[in-house]
Amino acid sequence: MDDDRIDFSALDPARQPQRWEALLQRTVEASVPQPEAWWLSLGKMRLAVVGLGAVALLAWVPLLLDAPVSGSTDPALALVQYSHAGDLTALLESTDGY
């Protein structure tokens, strides 16, 4: 084994303070987003957000406009009708889709 110490002085930021400060300034400037870029990306995304919102609203239109129909083929609705009327034929016809 080699017992020599490793020289880490090249990694010391205090060795060249001007270079280190310039590196920090470049990093900070690159990490802060520019306001113009934010507004441009928002303008491009506005149409997509409006379109997706319209699709979401259109998906709810059939549910909002749909009134329950007594001749529905929903098995749960047929079971409720059967429990109120006691008509087994109506229950079988509505669940089979006749």
Side-chain angles (χ1 to χ4, degrees):
M1 285 210 99
D2 190 12
D3 290 335
D4 292 337
R5 298 188 81 154
I6 299 173
D7 182 22
F8 288 112
S9 64
L11 300 175
D12 186 17
R15 187 173 65 128
Q16 296 176 341
Q18 293 86 9
R19 182 176 175 265
W20 178 252
E21 191 63 34
L23 177 65
L24 287 177
Q25 287 299 326
R26 283 194 314 264
T27 304
V28 168
E29 288 172 4
S31 67
V32 176
Q34 301 299 324
E36 295 85 21
W38 167 252
W39 286 110
L40 289 175
S41 66
L42 182 65
K44 291 178 183 177
M45 296 298 289
R46 185 178 301 142
L47 183 60
V49 170
V50 168
L52 290 175
V55 169
L57 287 176
L58 287 174
W60 282 89
V61 167
L63 181 65
L64 295 174
L65 297 179
D66 188 26
V69 179
S70 62
S72 177
T73 60
D74 185 25
L77 183 59
L79 184 61
V80 170
Q81 289 175 349
Y82 169 71
S83 67
H84 287 293
D87 187 10
L88 181 61
T89 309
L91 174 67
L92 294 175
E93 287 178 353
S94 64
T95 56
D96 288 336
Y98 291 120

